[in-house]
Amino acid sequence: MATDDDGLEAELEEEEAELERRALTGGKARTLTSDASTLERLAASLASSELPWVEHLTLTSSAPLVASSTEDLEREVAIYSMTLDMAREGRRKLLAIGEPFRRPDDFFCEMLKSDTHMAKVKDELIFQQKKMDAFDQRKAKQHQLKFAKAVQAEKVKVRAAKRKADAKDVDDFRKTSQGKKRELLQGDKDDDGDGDRPAPAARKSKKRVASDKKWGFGGKKKDAKRNDPKSIDDMSSFDPQRGKANARNRKRPATASSSKKNGQQQQKRRRR
C-alpha cells in the first residue's frame, strides 16, 4: 500500500513538472489563435448528436453577448452574467429530471499538490500564526504592564493624599478639643466665682523642705552675687577686724564637728 502511494505521488509530481515545462516556452510569449469555423462545426456536431443532454450538459444563451471590445471590465461582467444565467438554467433542468448535481460527502478527489508539499505549507501557516499570536501576546503584556504602572502610581498618590487628609483631621480635632477644654475650664472658674484667685501651690514633702533649707530652693543662679546699688549701701555684714593680725588670735566659734573632735582628743590623753 505504501508502494502504491509513493508511485502515485511520483506520477503527480511528474505531471506537475510537465505542466510547468509546457507553460514555460523558453521565456517567449505564447500566441493564442482562435479558429471560429472549427468551433462552429464542433458545436453543430454536439447539437445534432443523439446523446442525451445529461451526457454533454451543453447550454446556449438565446440573448447575444453585448459588450464593448475595448472595455475589458464590461466584457468580463457580461460574460459572468451570461454564465451565471446558464448555470441556473442547467440546475433547473437537472432538478427536473432528478439527476444529482451536488458532490457527495464521501467524494474523494486527487490533489494536484503532493501531501509532502501540503504538509510544508501547513507547517508554514501554523508557524506564521504562532508568530502573530506571540506578537499580539507580547504587545498585550506591554500594554498591561504600562497600565499597571499607571494604576500603581495613582494608588500611591491616593494613599499620600489620604495620609495628608488624616493628619489634617487629627490636627483639627486636637485644636478643637483644646479649645473646648479651655472653654469648659473657664466656665467652671466663672461658675465657682474664683476666677481671679491663683491656683494653690503644690505641697512639698519634708525631704524637699530639708533640701531647700540646706541648698536653696532653686530659682535664678546667674548674677546672684552681682552687686547692685542696694547691696553696695548695705554695711551690715562688714567686719573691720577681718584680715588683720590680731584676728588670728581670736578663737573661731566651735561647731558640732570640732567639738566632737576635741572630745575624742581629750579621751585619748586620759587613756595615756
mmCIF file of all heavy atoms in Angstrom, residues 47-71:
data_model
loop_
_atom_site.group_PDB
_atom_site.id
_atom_site.type_symbol
_atom_site.label_atom_id
_atom_site.label_comp_id
_atom_site.label_asym_id
_atom_site.label_seq_id
_atom_site.Cartn_x
_atom_site.Cartn_y
_atom_site.Cartn_z
ATOM 1 N N ALA A 47 -24.806 19.500 -31.122
ATOM 2 C CA ALA A 47 -26.244 19.775 -31.119
ATOM 3 C C ALA A 47 -27.011 18.729 -31.896
ATOM 4 O O ALA A 47 -28.156 18.384 -31.550
ATOM 5 C CB ALA A 47 -26.497 21.162 -31.692
ATOM 6 N N SER A 48 -26.384 18.185 -32.977
ATOM 7 C CA SER A 48 -27.095 17.220 -33.814
ATOM 8 C C SER A 48 -26.908 15.777 -33.335
ATOM 9 O O SER A 48 -27.438 14.856 -33.946
ATOM 10 C CB SER A 48 -26.605 17.334 -35.261
ATOM 11 O OG SER A 48 -25.208 17.064 -35.331
ATOM 12 N N SER A 49 -26.097 15.581 -32.277
ATOM 13 C CA SER A 49 -25.858 14.220 -31.811
ATOM 14 C C SER A 49 -27.094 13.693 -31.114
ATOM 15 O O SER A 49 -27.934 14.444 -30.616
ATOM 16 C CB SER A 49 -24.647 14.202 -30.867
ATOM 17 O OG SER A 49 -24.936 14.980 -29.715
ATOM 18 N N GLU A 50 -27.191 12.398 -31.032
ATOM 19 C CA GLU A 50 -28.341 11.749 -30.405
ATOM 20 C C GLU A 50 -28.122 11.458 -28.929
ATOM 21 O O GLU A 50 -28.950 10.815 -28.298
ATOM 22 C CB GLU A 50 -28.625 10.440 -31.150
ATOM 23 C CG GLU A 50 -29.028 10.633 -32.596
ATOM 24 C CD GLU A 50 -29.292 9.324 -33.303
ATOM 25 O OE1 GLU A 50 -29.085 8.274 -32.624
ATOM 26 O OE2 GLU A 50 -29.681 9.340 -34.469
ATOM 27 N N LEU A 51 -27.024 11.927 -28.377
ATOM 28 C CA LEU A 51 -26.754 11.712 -26.949
ATOM 29 C C LEU A 51 -27.721 12.538 -26.107
ATOM 30 O O LEU A 51 -28.109 13.650 -26.485
ATOM 31 C CB LEU A 51 -25.316 12.119 -26.613
ATOM 32 C CG LEU A 51 -24.202 11.269 -27.220
ATOM 33 C CD1 LEU A 51 -22.839 11.881 -26.910
ATOM 34 C CD2 LEU A 51 -24.281 9.845 -26.699
ATOM 35 N N PRO A 52 -28.131 12.023 -24.973
ATOM 36 C CA PRO A 52 -28.999 12.818 -24.104
ATOM 37 C C PRO A 52 -28.258 14.040 -23.548
ATOM 38 O O PRO A 52 -27.030 14.072 -23.475
ATOM 39 C CB PRO A 52 -29.397 11.826 -23.007
ATOM 40 C CG PRO A 52 -28.343 10.796 -23.012
ATOM 41 C CD PRO A 52 -27.859 10.678 -24.429
ATOM 42 N N TRP A 53 -29.056 15.014 -23.131
ATOM 43 C CA TRP A 53 -28.438 16.287 -22.689
ATOM 44 C C TRP A 53 -27.590 16.090 -21.440
ATOM 45 O O TRP A 53 -26.582 16.766 -21.268
ATOM 46 C CB TRP A 53 -29.562 17.302 -22.403
ATOM 47 C CG TRP A 53 -29.038 18.586 -21.827
ATOM 48 C CD1 TRP A 53 -28.480 19.606 -22.501
ATOM 49 C CD2 TRP A 53 -29.013 18.941 -20.435
ATOM 50 N NE1 TRP A 53 -28.092 20.604 -21.654
ATOM 51 C CE2 TRP A 53 -28.418 20.229 -20.359
ATOM 52 C CE3 TRP A 53 -29.435 18.317 -19.263
ATOM 53 C CZ2 TRP A 53 -28.246 20.883 -19.152
ATOM 54 C CZ3 TRP A 53 -29.259 18.992 -18.073
ATOM 55 C CH2 TRP A 53 -28.658 20.268 -18.006
ATOM 56 N N VAL A 54 -27.955 15.146 -20.582
ATOM 57 C CA VAL A 54 -27.210 14.949 -19.347
ATOM 58 C C VAL A 54 -25.810 14.437 -19.613
ATOM 59 O O VAL A 54 -24.941 14.513 -18.745
ATOM 60 C CB VAL A 54 -27.986 13.990 -18.425
ATOM 61 C CG1 VAL A 54 -27.927 12.558 -18.980
ATOM 62 C CG2 VAL A 54 -27.445 14.031 -16.993
ATOM 63 N N GLU A 55 -25.557 13.911 -20.819
ATOM 64 C CA GLU A 55 -24.230 13.404 -21.136
ATOM 65 C C GLU A 55 -23.273 14.510 -21.557
ATOM 66 O O GLU A 55 -22.075 14.409 -21.326
ATOM 67 C CB GLU A 55 -24.327 12.358 -22.247
ATOM 68 C CG GLU A 55 -25.091 11.098 -21.860
ATOM 69 C CD GLU A 55 -24.380 10.319 -20.779
ATOM 70 O OE1 GLU A 55 -23.135 10.450 -20.659
ATOM 71 O OE2 GLU A 55 -25.047 9.581 -20.027
ATOM 72 N N HIS A 56 -23.778 15.579 -22.181
ATOM 73 C CA HIS A 56 -22.859 16.645 -22.618
ATOM 74 C C HIS A 56 -23.087 17.962 -21.885
ATOM 75 O O HIS A 56 -22.204 18.824 -21.853
ATOM 76 C CB HIS A 56 -22.986 16.860 -24.144
ATOM 77 C CG HIS A 56 -24.375 17.162 -24.592
ATOM 78 N ND1 HIS A 56 -24.944 18.396 -24.520
ATOM 79 C CD2 HIS A 56 -25.337 16.345 -25.128
ATOM 80 C CE1 HIS A 56 -26.169 18.376 -24.978
ATOM 81 N NE2 HIS A 56 -26.442 17.104 -25.369
ATOM 82 N N LEU A 57 -24.301 18.175 -21.275
ATOM 83 C CA LEU A 57 -24.580 19.363 -20.448
ATOM 84 C C LEU A 57 -24.265 20.659 -21.199
ATOM 85 O O LEU A 57 -23.631 21.582 -20.665
ATOM 86 C CB LEU A 57 -23.801 19.309 -19.124
ATOM 87 C CG LEU A 57 -24.066 18.108 -18.204
ATOM 88 C CD1 LEU A 57 -23.145 18.170 -16.991
ATOM 89 C CD2 LEU A 57 -25.523 18.068 -17.785
ATOM 90 N N THR A 58 -24.681 20.740 -22.433
ATOM 91 C CA THR A 58 -24.413 21.924 -23.240
ATOM 92 C C THR A 58 -25.603 22.861 -23.172
ATOM 93 O O THR A 58 -26.748 22.459 -23.385
ATOM 94 C CB THR A 58 -24.143 21.527 -24.700
ATOM 95 O OG1 THR A 58 -23.039 20.619 -24.721
ATOM 96 C CG2 THR A 58 -23.810 22.743 -25.530
ATOM 97 N N LEU A 59 -25.345 24.120 -22.939
ATOM 98 C CA LEU A 59 -26.378 25.154 -22.871
ATOM 99 C C LEU A 59 -25.915 26.356 -23.692
ATOM 100 O O LEU A 59 -24.738 26.753 -23.627
ATOM 101 C CB LEU A 59 -26.653 25.583 -21.431
ATOM 102 C CG LEU A 59 -27.321 24.548 -20.522
ATOM 103 C CD1 LEU A 59 -27.358 25.055 -19.090
ATOM 104 C CD2 LEU A 59 -28.738 24.248 -20.999
ATOM 105 N N THR A 60 -26.843 26.931 -24.453
ATOM 106 C CA THR A 60 -26.540 28.088 -25.284
ATOM 107 C C THR A 60 -27.518 29.190 -24.941
ATOM 108 O O THR A 60 -28.741 28.970 -24.876
ATOM 109 C CB THR A 60 -26.651 27.745 -26.775
ATOM 110 O OG1 THR A 60 -25.785 26.642 -27.055
ATOM 111 C CG2 THR A 60 -26.257 28.922 -27.637
ATOM 112 N N SER A 61 -26.987 30.389 -24.701
ATOM 113 C CA SER A 61 -27.818 31.527 -24.343
ATOM 114 C C SER A 61 -28.538 32.050 -25.580
ATOM 115 O O SER A 61 -27.943 32.173 -26.658
ATOM 116 C CB SER A 61 -26.969 32.629 -23.716
ATOM 117 O OG SER A 61 -27.761 33.759 -23.424
ATOM 118 N N SER A 62 -29.804 32.359 -25.389
ATOM 119 C CA SER A 62 -30.573 32.925 -26.507
ATOM 120 C C SER A 62 -30.285 34.397 -26.702
ATOM 121 O O SER A 62 -30.427 34.923 -27.814
ATOM 122 C CB SER A 62 -32.076 32.720 -26.252
ATOM 123 O OG SER A 62 -32.447 33.346 -25.017
ATOM 124 N N ALA A 63 -29.851 35.080 -25.646
ATOM 125 C CA ALA A 63 -29.527 36.512 -25.749
ATOM 126 C C ALA A 63 -28.089 36.674 -26.222
ATOM 127 O O ALA A 63 -27.189 35.958 -25.766
ATOM 128 C CB ALA A 63 -29.731 37.187 -24.401
ATOM 129 N N PRO A 64 -27.852 37.612 -27.129
ATOM 130 C CA PRO A 64 -26.475 37.836 -27.601
ATOM 131 C C PRO A 64 -25.625 38.511 -26.521
ATOM 132 O O PRO A 64 -26.135 39.170 -25.615
ATOM 133 C CB PRO A 64 -26.669 38.737 -28.813
ATOM 134 C CG PRO A 64 -27.928 39.474 -28.537
ATOM 135 C CD PRO A 64 -28.820 38.524 -27.775
ATOM 136 N N LEU A 65 -24.330 38.336 -26.618
ATOM 137 C CA LEU A 65 -23.377 38.969 -25.694
ATOM 138 C C LEU A 65 -23.127 40.384 -26.159
ATOM 139 O O LEU A 65 -22.519 40.613 -27.199
ATOM 140 C CB LEU A 65 -22.066 38.168 -25.641
ATOM 141 C CG LEU A 65 -20.995 38.697 -24.694
ATOM 142 C CD1 LEU A 65 -21.467 38.654 -23.258
ATOM 143 C CD2 LEU A 65 -19.702 37.895 -24.861
ATOM 144 N N VAL A 66 -23.606 41.351 -25.406
ATOM 145 C CA VAL A 66 -23.451 42.758 -25.739
ATOM 146 C C VAL A 66 -22.369 43.337 -24.835
ATOM 147 O O VAL A 66 -22.561 43.484 -23.626
ATOM 148 C CB VAL A 66 -24.778 43.522 -25.563
ATOM 149 C CG1 VAL A 66 -24.582 44.999 -25.930
ATOM 150 C CG2 VAL A 66 -25.863 42.889 -26.417
ATOM 151 N N ALA A 67 -21.239 43.639 -25.424
ATOM 152 C CA ALA A 67 -20.120 44.208 -24.652
ATOM 153 C C ALA A 67 -19.175 44.905 -25.606
ATOM 154 O O ALA A 67 -19.042 44.513 -26.779
ATOM 155 C CB ALA A 67 -19.385 43.137 -23.865
ATOM 156 N N SER A 68 -18.509 45.936 -25.121
ATOM 157 C CA SER A 68 -17.538 46.676 -25.930
ATOM 158 C C SER A 68 -16.252 45.878 -26.038
ATOM 159 O O SER A 68 -15.814 45.222 -25.083
ATOM 160 C CB SER A 68 -17.278 48.043 -25.295
ATOM 161 O OG SER A 68 -16.271 48.735 -25.998
ATOM 162 N N SER A 69 -15.657 45.923 -27.214
ATOM 163 C CA SER A 69 -14.408 45.191 -27.429
ATOM 164 C C SER A 69 -13.212 45.876 -26.815
ATOM 165 O O SER A 69 -12.145 45.275 -26.662
ATOM 166 C CB SER A 69 -14.184 45.002 -28.936
ATOM 167 O OG SER A 69 -14.107 46.272 -29.584
ATOM 168 N N THR A 70 -13.387 47.137 -26.399
ATOM 169 C CA THR A 70 -12.257 47.894 -25.813
ATOM 170 C C THR A 70 -12.320 47.956 -24.281
ATOM 171 O O THR A 70 -11.324 48.270 -23.644
ATOM 172 C CB THR A 70 -12.240 49.327 -26.367
ATOM 173 O OG1 THR A 70 -13.497 49.961 -26.079
ATOM 174 C CG2 THR A 70 -12.006 49.310 -27.876
ATOM 175 N N GLU A 71 -13.498 47.664 -23.695
ATOM 176 C CA GLU A 71 -13.659 47.729 -22.235
ATOM 177 C C GLU A 71 -13.577 46.312 -21.665
ATOM 178 O O GLU A 71 -14.504 45.514 -21.786
ATOM 179 C CB GLU A 71 -15.006 48.371 -21.877
ATOM 180 C CG GLU A 71 -15.141 49.824 -22.265
ATOM 181 C CD GLU A 71 -14.199 50.714 -21.469
ATOM 182 O OE1 GLU A 71 -13.805 50.315 -20.345
ATOM 183 O OE2 GLU A 71 -13.854 51.809 -21.951
#
